[in-house]
Amino acid sequence: GTKDNNQAKEQKEEKKLKIVDLSSNTRPYAVMINNHPSARQNHAGLQDAYLIYEMIVEGGMTRYMAVFKDKDTAKIGSVRSSRHYFLDYVLENDAIFVHYGHSPQALSDIKSLKINNINGMYDAKGFFRDTSLHRAYEHTAFTSMDRINKLIKSKKYRNTTEEQLLKYSPIKMEYKTENKKEANIVEIVYSSYQTTKYVYDPENMNYKMFMGGKEHTDLITKKQYTVKNIITYQVQNSSIQSDRKGRQDLYNVGNGEGYYVSNGEAIKIKWSKKDRASKTIYTLEDGSELKVNDGNTWIHIQPKGKKLNIS
């Protein structure tokens, strides 16, 4: 009777996914974030992103691409310029791309791949400067959801999508694989400049984030960033020969192995990406699709041969 129906309904509502609204078809926004060591203290709004990528750029530095959906974050940044291989991850999320400037390779690819983008070089209204930070000027550009939304309206970009990169489980995933290992500390080395480190917090069942040996905190909230799911795998990179600035190429189309880390455990996974625009598919070792826990995810695409420590 009605009682049973209500109970079933309550159970269903109770198990609703929190990290993204699966019934929403809003297109996500992917924002290029500066991770220069002297700009790291400027990270703002990243806890609101449901998905963030970290990849190597020139000079042993890394940059992030933070993906947001249905948020009203008032300060996101600091925003930096695009590199061409980040576009592959804009495409796999069917996202609108927000960046301040570009490499020559990224600019030509944005045009040829017809990426809907907001670029600080041309779309000044999308950004504001915070010069109170006493950092180099290039580290002071920020954006907000409100500004992005207004620009998307005026540019008449498509604002709906059916795409969703990851499969989520509203209930805690228990993987029965043989190869599970304890993951209380995760250290992902990108270069002598950059190590991303996580320490598991069993009470809150998430990972506290460290950058360059320091707590990685938000400029506004002053809180340390926490992460529910970590996906990490390695791909080959090399310097572009004709590029005097040492910009990189990333050989990220293909397949390989990596790890999924959540709730204090790491399991081996496989990844494959058919072409630039295709979604990266993550599976367990037996080929079944990976489902991640309800929470934010950082995807770390680490240079091949660099140290990964899970203990």
Side-chain angles (χ1 to χ4, degrees):
T2 326
K3 197 174 156 211
D4 291 341
N5 285 352
N6 284 349
Q7 233 176 342
K9 211 168 121 183
E10 265 169 44
Q11 269 178 328
K12 209 174 158 187
E13 275 167 30
E14 189 186 46
K15 298 271 189 288
K16 214 173 156 193
L17 196 69
K18 291 190 187 77
I19 189 64
V20 280
D21 177 359
L22 292 178
S23 67
S24 156
N25 66 353
T26 326
R27 266 181 103 181
Y29 307 153
V31 186
M32 279 300 296
I33 304 285
N34 190 357
N35 192 32
H36 189 285
S38 64
R40 205 167 277 159
Q41 309 87 317
N42 298 10
H43 285 151
L46 300 187
Q47 196 67 56
D48 280 356
Y50 69 96
L51 179 63
I52 299 189
Y53 297 80
E54 183 179 20
M55 285 178 255
I56 196 83
V57 293
E58 60 277 7
M61 311 286 175
T62 64
R63 278 189 190 171
Y64 304 153
M65 191 180 86
V67 189
F68 299 84
K69 189 176 162 85
D70 300 322
K71 289 291 183 195
D72 55 6
T73 319
K75 189 170 187 175
I76 299 166
S78 61
V79 184
R80 276 312 288 273
S81 61
S82 171
R83 297 293 174 265
H84 62 291
Y85 40 87
F86 281 91
L87 301 172
D88 305 16
Y89 302 95
V90 173
L91 289 166
E92 77 173 6
N93 287 284
D94 191 23
I96 291 168
F97 189 35
V98 181
H99 56 107
Y100 207 110
H102 44 262
S103 63
Q105 300 87 351
L107 186 62
S108 90
D109 285 0
I110 285 167
K111 287 178 181 159
S112 64
L113 296 165
K114 298 184 172 51
I115 303 263
N116 288 161
N117 73 316
I118 290 170
N119 182 351
M121 305 291 271
Y122 312 115
D123 302 307
K125 283 196 183 110
F127 303 85
F128 58 95
R129 293 278 177 184
D130 183 346
T131 48
S132 71
L133 294 167
H134 305 300
R135 309 250 184 273
Y137 191 67
E138 73 230 42
H139 302 328
T140 60
F142 292 84
T143 187
S144 69
M145 283 299 151
D146 188 43
R147 283 171 185 254
I148 297 172
N149 287 331
K150 283 182 178 141
L151 266 168
I152 286 168
K153 271 210 177 78
S154 72
K155 287 175 174 285
K156 297 188 165 57
Y157 285 154
R158 170 173 57 84
N159 57 6
T160 60
T161 184
E162 296 307 314
E163 296 299 320
Q164 179 69 45
L165 180 73
L166 296 171
K167 294 276 188 289
Y168 293 91
S169 168
I171 51 176
K172 187 181 163 199
M173 284 305 296
E174 291 288 358
Y175 282 112
K176 302 278 185 277
T177 150
E178 320 260 283
N179 289 337
K180 248 196 296 208
K181 60 182 194 171
E182 229 180 308
N184 292 316
I185 294 173
V186 180
E187 285 173 303
I188 303 162
V189 178
Y190 282 87
S191 70
S192 54
Y193 268 115
Q194 173 60 10
T195 295
T196 302
K197 180 180 174 182
Y198 294 100
V199 177
Y200 187 54
D201 171 358
E203 198 182 331
N204 295 301
M205 291 178 71
N206 59 26
Y207 285 86
K208 289 191 159 121
M209 196 167 195
F210 294 81
M211 282 282 157
K214 291 193 183 76
E215 288 187 3
H216 187 208
T217 56
D218 188 88
L219 178 67
I220 314 296
T221 66
K222 307 293 182 232
K223 285 186 180 150
Q224 187 170 7
Y225 286 123
T226 62
V227 178
K228 182 66 182 174
N229 303 301
I230 301 159
I231 290 173
T232 183
Y233 55 99
Q234 297 193 342
V235 307
Q236 195 69 48
N237 67 304
S238 67
S239 297
I240 298 170
Q241 282 188 326
S242 58
D243 188 285
R244 288 204 303 267
K245 295 216 160 109
R247 293 189 190 97
Q248 301 292 297
D249 255 331
L250 220 60
Y251 303 100
N252 57 343
V253 170
N255 54 68
E257 292 175 350
Y259 286 93
Y260 168 62
V261 181
S262 193
N263 293 343
E265 296 177 336
I267 59 164
K268 277 193 168 164
I269 57 167
K270 293 177 171 174
W271 66 272
S272 65
K273 190 167 171 58
K274 204 165 65 215
D275 52 47
R276 292 189 75 176
S278 294
K279 281 188 215 175
T280 309
I281 307 285
Y282 298 102
T283 65
L284 305 182
E285 285 190 293
D286 66 8
S288 58
E289 195 164 10
L290 175 72
K291 268 189 150 175
V292 302
N293 284 306
D294 189 359
N296 63 330
T297 303
W298 278 65
I299 295 176
H300 294 278
I301 301 177
Q302 192 190 16
K304 227 185 192 107
K306 292 289 180 209
K307 224 164 125 179
L308 171 70
N309 169 36
I310 300 175
S311 59

